[in-house]
Amino acid sequence: MKVLVVFSLVALSAAAAVSGYMSDEPDGVSTQQKQYDMTYAFYKIFEPIRDNNLLEKAMTFNPVADTSMYKDAGVAVRKLMYEFTHERLLEKKHWAAATNKRHLEEAIMLFEVFMQCKDWNCFSSNAAYFRERVNEEEFLYAAYHAIKHSPFTQNVVLPAVYEVKPHYFTKAQVIDQAYEAHEMKLKNMVFQNNFTGNPNDMEQRVAYYREDLGIGTHHYMIHLENPFWWKDTYGYRIDRKGENFFYAYHQLLNRYDAERISNYMPLLEELKLDEPLHEGFAPQTTYKFGAPFPIRNDDIKLQDVDRVGKIHELVHMEDRIYDAIAHGYVENEQGNKINIENDNGIEILGDIIQSSYYSPNRKYYGNLTTMAYTMLDRQVDPKDKYDLPPGVVAHMELYPRDPAAWRLQKRIDNIFRKHIDSLPPYTKEQLEFTGIAVTDVQIQGTLETYFEEYKWDLVNAFNDNNTETEFFDIYASTPRLNHKEFSYQIKVQNNNGAPKKAVIRILAMPYRDGNGVLIPFDEGRWLAIEMDLFVKTLTPGSNDIVRKSSEASITVPDVPTFKTLVEKTMAQENLQKYQSATGIPERLLLPKGNEEGVQFRLWVAVTDAAEDVNDESIITMKKYHHYGVHGVQPDKRPFGYPLDRRIPDKQTFYEVPNFKETMVKVYNHNVYIALPRQ
């Protein structure tokens, strides 16, 4: 039935110190209040604010009346207000994309206002004021980034982006069906949202992965955590930002290849700029206001894009980066050489390739990734003849849906590989942990996946004139991958005579490709997927370690639905486990597998925490992911260690006592679990 939710702000404000919630140190305002304010700022984002308290702020607050509330004395807000009062900002009810230079500039201006706020009243008042006045897409971009990085919002859970903007993720025909049901006041409706394409296209076999809502959210969060335009003046330096950019995408690509192997498909090939692009894409979704997302046909020739760039410019940027790798150094803006033939080299190259403001020489090395994304996206209308809106590649939450985007990312990943493979392999002595031996690795349970039906709320798809907060129980649903629970049973011998704190690293290397051909060991290590990483104190003698799959530090649970988020906030429930949505979804820890079982070499590496751990308070918490937490990286080792560097002689790994390999298979028996219908 229709659910009507009306909450009292008076009661909420009184709950300043709620049991189970962490009180924010900077201003003492309860996390519950902040969660409430931000949740309702994003509710019905394309319509006027429904919450009375926020609406009052939107109508009465003057951002420049008291500039003492800003750390920069109002510099950022005056700049934004000048643009607003002179009508230079993008109007409301219009598409916006971060690949559009002006749209991005406007969103960053608002982000900077949020980051300059000294307290929560300043933050929430500006959020309410500008939500009602600036473009909705730009507001979302600025507010989501600010919530991720502001010291006042470290415990705020971001609503699922696919429920804030359901049009982006839900087929137009499903939106139409849902809207009709809404108009007819029907109850408990669930509409099937099938994947794009059909079985005639081989790439359709892995559409469940590309179009998974969790993968889209994960990709979006990667960019929220590490925006290329980040400046340290915003509050802190993001540790290993460039390496993060490399490894987050590298893991996504490796997991995508594991899905391709599971479906008897060839490994992903990089995008060739001088060959036809075979993979077309029809998103079948629309912007909230404006045209549908454009369709790209099969077998098109890649072209220069007016007012964006030329193909040869991309090639020249790549050549300069490859040249730097060959020489072993990059040059900064002053012409000084910076050595990259070390563990820090990947960080510098990542900054350059991401087009980050951390790049030592943006003028010379260019904006490779930004230009490549935009040029691929605009191939549907490279001469801008038809005034089409951007495609899915222009939106980080939708980027993984396009099969060509993965091939472009593979091309970028191969640049990183060229550098990493130029570094010397690890020696046995470098890999050993003195006195430690892994004696056995077993899996408890079956490595088995299945598909389940998942539904998401379409409440933000509907326009209405109601001034209250309503949830109509109208949903879209789709199949998604999940897996059965399992555990690792690891036996470790500590012969040191004293306790040793260790880092347990678990990685899986694919054993055969989609055609059943054996993958060489060194190629397998490059395709390895990270499964877990955690700290354990080893007592003298034998240690039996049991680690559940649900405890994996690299995964996160699904973000609650909008309705559930509101209910949990009002029930004063602890939302801490949802605060970082950056990791791989818990249910996608295992690749799909198949009926015969997909083989993997499962490696367990036990390394010295005294040398490896940068911040144990993070690495031992569930919220740790290989992207770090709020700019801090807990692990000192290169990402993917010890399978990051080339392995010319695999015997070296088998001779290291603190490493252990076991062969495993991942199964899928075509099981599908549907949601119960009322």
Side-chain angles (χ1 to χ4, degrees):
M1 64 179 182
K2 181 175 79 172
V3 179
L4 178 63
V5 187
V6 183
F7 297 120
S8 167
L9 264 293
V10 176
L12 183 61
S13 299
V18 182
S19 175
Y21 280 80
M22 297 173 61
S23 179
D24 291 340
E25 292 298 328
D27 56 6
V29 179
S30 72
T31 298
Q32 186 189 16
Q33 179 69 61
K34 295 178 180 182
Q35 184 67 60
Y36 182 96
D37 288 347
M38 290 299 94
T39 300
Y40 277 90
F42 299 128
Y43 177 80
K44 296 278 189 178
I45 188 65
F46 297 102
E47 297 183 37
I49 292 174
R50 300 297 179 88
D51 177 72
N52 291 333
N53 185 49
L54 290 177
L55 184 59
E56 182 180 359
K57 287 185 176 183
M59 297 299 104
T60 62
F61 178 69
N62 183 344
V64 294
D66 178 12
T67 55
S68 67
M69 71 177 75
Y70 304 102
K71 290 179 284 187
D72 65 349
V75 173
V77 74
R78 279 196 292 266
K79 177 182 177 182
L80 178 59
M81 287 299 292
Y82 180 87
E83 298 291 311
F84 172 66
T85 55
H86 286 78
E87 299 183 352
R88 295 181 178 179
L89 300 180
L90 181 67
E91 67 267 25
K92 291 173 73 70
K93 301 188 186 305
H94 190 286
W95 63 262
T99 53
N100 181 292
K101 184 178 179 181
R102 177 57 184 174
H103 295 176
L104 180 61
E105 288 173 351
E106 293 177 7
I108 292 175
M109 279 192 279
L110 178 54
F111 167 81
E112 290 176 344
V113 171
F114 288 134
M115 295 301 289
Q116 292 298 331
C117 286
K118 289 182 178 180
D119 58 36
W120 181 246
N121 182 60
C122 174
F123 192 106
S124 60
S125 297
N126 274 290
Y129 180 88
F130 287 108
R131 182 202 185 278
E132 294 297 275
R133 291 165 175 83
V134 302
N135 177 269
E136 298 89 347
E137 296 280 0
E138 291 183 357
F139 173 80
L140 279 172
Y141 187 92
Y144 264 55
H145 278 83
I147 289 171
K148 266 295 174 186
H149 294 281
S150 170
F152 303 116
T153 49
Q154 296 305 285
N155 299 314
V156 171
V157 177
L158 288 168
V161 66
Y162 49 85
E163 290 195 337
V164 176
K165 300 188 290 186
H167 289 77
Y168 279 32
F169 300 86
T170 313
K171 286 186 175 182
Q173 66 189 58
V174 175
I175 293 289
D176 290 343
Q177 292 170 341
Y179 212 102
E180 183 177 351
H182 170 60
E183 292 294 306
M184 297 174 64
K185 302 187 184 303
L186 298 179
K187 306 173 183 178
N188 299 316
M189 302 300 294
V190 180
F191 297 97
Q192 183 68 35
N193 189 74
N194 296 321
F195 302 121
T196 58
N198 62 55
N200 293 332
D201 179 12
M202 182 189 293
E203 293 297 324
Q204 178 70 8
R205 298 181 193 175
V206 286
Y208 67 87
Y209 185 78
R210 289 197 315 269
E211 299 178 27
D212 188 282
L213 297 174
I215 289 295
T217 301
H218 171 58
H219 186 265
Y220 188 49
M221 290 297 170
I222 290 171
H223 287 265
L224 286 185
E225 292 275 9
N226 293 295
F228 76 89
W229 43 262
W230 178 265
K231 302 174 185 176
D232 292 350
T233 53
Y234 294 145
Y236 56 89
R237 184 171 184 82
I238 298 178
D239 187 25
R240 295 166 71 176
K241 184 172 180 292
E243 188 179 5
N244 261 315
F245 173 75
F246 152 68
Y247 193 65
Y249 272 112
H250 183 63
Q251 281 297 295
L252 270 174
L253 288 166
N254 287 359
R255 287 182 172 276
Y256 188 48
D257 265 331
E259 300 299 335
R260 297 177 72 87
I261 292 171
S262 298
N263 289 280
Y264 308 100
M265 296 172 65
L267 296 174
L268 188 65
E269 294 184 358
E270 72 168 49
L271 182 67
K272 302 292 186 181
L273 300 181
D274 57 351
E275 296 179 4
L277 174 56
H278 298 299
E279 296 87 359
F281 185 59
Q284 302 183 40
T285 53
T286 68
Y287 285 90
K288 173 68 173 179
F289 302 104
F293 282 94
I295 297 172
R296 186 184 65 248
N297 293 324
D298 291 346
D299 300 312
I300 66 168
K301 178 184 177 181
L302 295 175
Q303 300 182 50
D304 299 338
V305 178
D306 287 0
R307 295 188 297 279
V308 175
K310 300 181 183 298
I311 298 293
H312 73 79
E313 291 179 296
L314 289 178
V315 175
H316 288 169
M317 282 187 271
E318 289 180 336
D319 286 345
R320 290 174 180 176
I321 297 169
Y322 275 117
D323 188 59
I325 293 169
H327 283 89
Y329 64 84
V330 300
E331 293 188 10
N332 63 17
E333 293 177 352
Q334 292 73 39
N336 299 319
K337 296 177 181 178
I338 303 174
N339 181 30
I340 59 172
E341 293 183 310
N342 49 46
D343 285 346
N344 192 50
I346 190 73
E347 161 73 4
I348 297 169
L349 282 176
D351 289 334
I352 289 172
I353 293 171
Q354 191 197 12
S355 318
S356 167
Y357 284 11
Y358 284 8
S359 170
N361 196 338
R362 295 187 80 220
K363 182 177 181 180
Y364 180 71
Y365 294 108
N367 57 337
L368 174 63
T369 297
T370 304
M371 183 182 287
Y373 287 177
T374 309
M375 289 186 67
L376 174 61
D377 186 65
R378 300 303 295 172
Q379 289 303 308
V380 295
D381 187 17
K383 303 303 179 186
D384 200 20
K385 293 172 60 177
Y386 308 110
D387 194 28
L388 296 178
V392 297
V393 174
H395 300 274
M396 292 302 99
E397 63 272 37
L398 302 178
Y399 180 93
R401 295 184 163 233
D402 189 334
W406 294 86
R407 292 189 59 200
L408 172 59
Q409 210 61 51
K410 185 70 172 181
R411 182 183 182 91
I412 294 170
D413 193 60
N414 284 340
I415 301 176
F416 286 110
R417 182 173 188 176
K418 187 71 173 179
H419 163 71
I420 293 173
D421 282 357
S422 73
L423 300 176
Y426 295 117
T427 64
K428 180 183 176 185
E429 291 70 29
Q430 288 175 311
L431 298 172
E432 284 182 334
F433 184 3
T434 303
I436 302 298
V438 182
T439 59
D440 190 41
V441 176
Q442 299 287 335
I443 297 294
Q444 185 178 50
T446 305
L447 301 183
E448 183 178 338
T449 68
Y450 58 90
F451 283 92
E452 64 183 9
E453 185 180 15
Y454 176 74
K455 65 181 183 181
W456 63 98
D457 202 326
L458 298 179
V459 64
N460 282 341
F462 310 133
N463 295 328
D464 54 60
N465 297 317
N466 200 321
T467 59
E468 296 173 328
T469 302
E470 297 179 277
F471 293 95
F472 304 98
D473 287 340
I474 298 178
Y475 304 91
S477 75
T478 193
R480 68 176 191 177
L481 192 65
N482 206 335
H483 66 84
K484 293 183 177 180
E485 292 297 314
F486 64 93
S487 298
Y488 308 98
Q489 293 181 315
I490 306 167
K491 292 184 180 294
V492 183
Q493 184 72 25
N494 176 7
N495 296 320
N496 288 288
K500 285 286 185 179
K501 192 164 288 186
V503 179
I504 315 297
R505 305 168 187 273
I506 306 176
L507 301 104
M509 297 165 49
Y511 187 66
R512 296 182 184 276
D513 66 16
N515 291 321
V517 177
L518 189 68
I519 298 175
F521 193 89
D522 188 52
E523 186 65 23
R525 65 91 193 174
W526 183 252
L527 296 171
I529 57 177
E530 187 175 23
M531 301 296 290
D532 204 353
L533 184 152
F534 59 97
V535 172
K536 191 75 174 179
T537 298
L538 303 175
T539 59
S542 181
N543 292 261
D544 292 329
I545 301 170
V546 177
R547 178 75 168 182
K548 297 179 180 178
S549 58
S550 58
E551 297 174 311
S553 64
I554 64 164
T555 64
V556 293
D558 290 322
V559 178
T561 65
F562 230 111
K563 177 182 173 183
T564 303
L565 193 58
V566 170
E567 291 173 344
K568 286 181 177 293
T569 301
M570 296 313 300
Q572 303 178 11
E573 292 187 29
N574 193 323
L575 299 173
Q576 186 181 47
K577 69 177 181 178
Y578 305 112
Q579 286 167 12
S580 176
T582 310
I584 292 288
E586 287 177 341
R587 55 191 173 74
L588 295 180
L589 179 63
L590 287 179
K592 172 178 164 283
N594 55 37
E595 193 75 39
E596 295 78 22
V598 175
Q599 280 186 294
F600 289 87
R601 302 177 188 264
L602 187 72
W603 278 92
V604 174
V606 179
T607 61
D608 191 351
E611 296 181 5
D612 297 356
V613 174
N614 183 41
D615 188 338
E616 187 180 335
S617 67
I618 296 176
I619 207 169
T620 55
M621 294 174 67
K622 175 65 178 175
K623 66 169 64 174
Y624 164 70
H625 314 293
H626 44 243
Y627 323 98
V629 177
H630 306 311
V632 178
Q633 283 297 334
D635 190 9
K636 294 180 183 178
R637 293 285 191 178
F639 296 144
Y641 178 85
L643 297 179
D644 54 319
R645 295 195 185 181
R646 58 190 172 88
I647 306 172
D649 182 5
K650 66 180 181 181
Q651 195 59 34
T652 301
F653 266 56
Y654 290 110
E655 293 175 354
V656 176
N658 46 298
F659 290 4
K660 187 74 173 178
E661 178 198 81
T662 189
M663 298 297 294
V664 299
K665 283 187 175 183
V666 181
Y667 295 92
N668 181 282
H669 299 302
N670 298 313
V671 173
Y672 174 70
I673 302 174
L675 290 169
R677 295 292 192 262
Q678 296 182 357

